[in-house]
Amino acid sequence: MTEPPKPRRRQWSEGTRSTLLEAGARAFAEQGFDQLTEDGIARTVGLTRGALQYQFGDKRGLFTEVFARMLGDLVVLLSDQTMEKAHSVAEVGAGMELFFTLSTEPERRRVLLVDGPAVLGWDPWRIALRTAFAPLLHHAFGHWAQAGLIGEDEIAGHAELILGASVHAALADDAGDPAPRRALEAMLRRLSGG
């Protein structure tokens, strides 16, 4: 059974929203949140500030949506690619390595790791990361628990610790200081017996 056609106004609104999200993602990645205006973002796609405000409230609302989509896409990529590479105690290391590669691509780094905490606020940003990555990390550390490396009751703590350390190491590595990343990778290899 086919869906009934959507009213034109709804189609236009969804198209406008999608267009603004794409334009916002490009603009935030290239210029950063502080350098952009609502008018500037909307004009890049031939729309008005009013269209942006109608869809997202303001520039911060648009950024919040861009951030959520980009974070969701990153989690899907990590999940798909780590499940192919490792389904064992090595999954944490494989996931972390891929996280470094994907999260430090310039557009993701700026939106997710640099502007994210500044625009959203520390606690909402941290909660968003924890919520997004917890299923992957809990699954990966579940392999450690099954192997007797940690207790079941330690999975959540290890997941939180590795997420924070990975974000810090990714930013440090991107800034030219590879020491935190190397130390984290070495620590995980020793702990997992790899």
Side-chain angles (χ1 to χ4, degrees):
M1 184 169 192
T2 60
E3 274 187 43
K6 295 177 185 173
R8 268 189 213 270
R9 181 176 293 254
R10 186 167 163 206
Q11 287 176 333
W12 179 84
S13 184
E14 288 173 2
T16 300
R17 184 175 186 80
S18 178
T19 298
L20 284 166
L21 278 167
E22 290 171 22
R26 279 191 310 275
F28 291 132
E30 292 169 5
Q31 298 174 48
F33 182 84
D34 288 337
Q35 302 303 312
L36 295 167
T37 65
E38 291 172 6
D39 281 326
I41 296 167
R43 273 197 309 266
T44 64
V45 288
L47 294 170
T48 65
R49 179 179 62 186
L52 186 148
Q53 291 172 337
Y54 176 78
Q55 293 292 333
F56 301 100
D58 58 13
K59 178 176 75 164
R60 187 177 187 278
L62 174 61
F63 180 89
T64 301
E65 282 283 326
V66 166
F67 175 89
R69 280 189 175 204
M70 200 173 281
L71 182 59
D73 291 346
L74 176 60
V75 169
V76 168
L77 281 170
L78 282 166
S79 177
D80 290 349
Q81 293 183 33
T82 54
M83 291 298 182
E84 291 173 7
K85 291 182 177 183
H87 199 63
S88 65
V89 294
E91 197 170 306
V92 174
M96 190 185 64
E97 186 177 324
L98 188 57
F99 172 81
F100 287 137
T101 301
L102 295 174
S103 68
T104 56
E105 289 175 357
E107 65 280 356
R108 285 193 188 103
R109 183 189 61 78
R110 181 169 227 154
V111 171
L112 296 178
L113 303 180
V114 176
D115 282 350
V119 175
L120 303 178
W122 174 255
D123 283 336
W125 173 76
R126 190 175 55 82
I127 290 166
L129 291 183
R130 179 195 300 152
T131 302
F133 290 113
L136 288 175
L137 288 166
H138 286 222
H139 172 84
F141 278 113
H143 295 301
W144 284 35
Q146 289 171 350
L149 298 171
I150 62 173
E152 290 281 340
D153 60 332
E154 296 176 289
I155 291 174
H158 276 72
E160 184 84 12
L161 181 66
I162 289 300
L163 177 58
S166 295
V167 168
H168 173 77
L171 286 169
D173 196 50
D174 191 59
D177 179 8
R181 178 178 176 173
R182 285 191 204 130
L184 186 55
E185 290 170 338
M187 181 187 74
L188 285 175
R189 277 192 305 274
R190 282 194 298 274
L191 291 174
S192 65

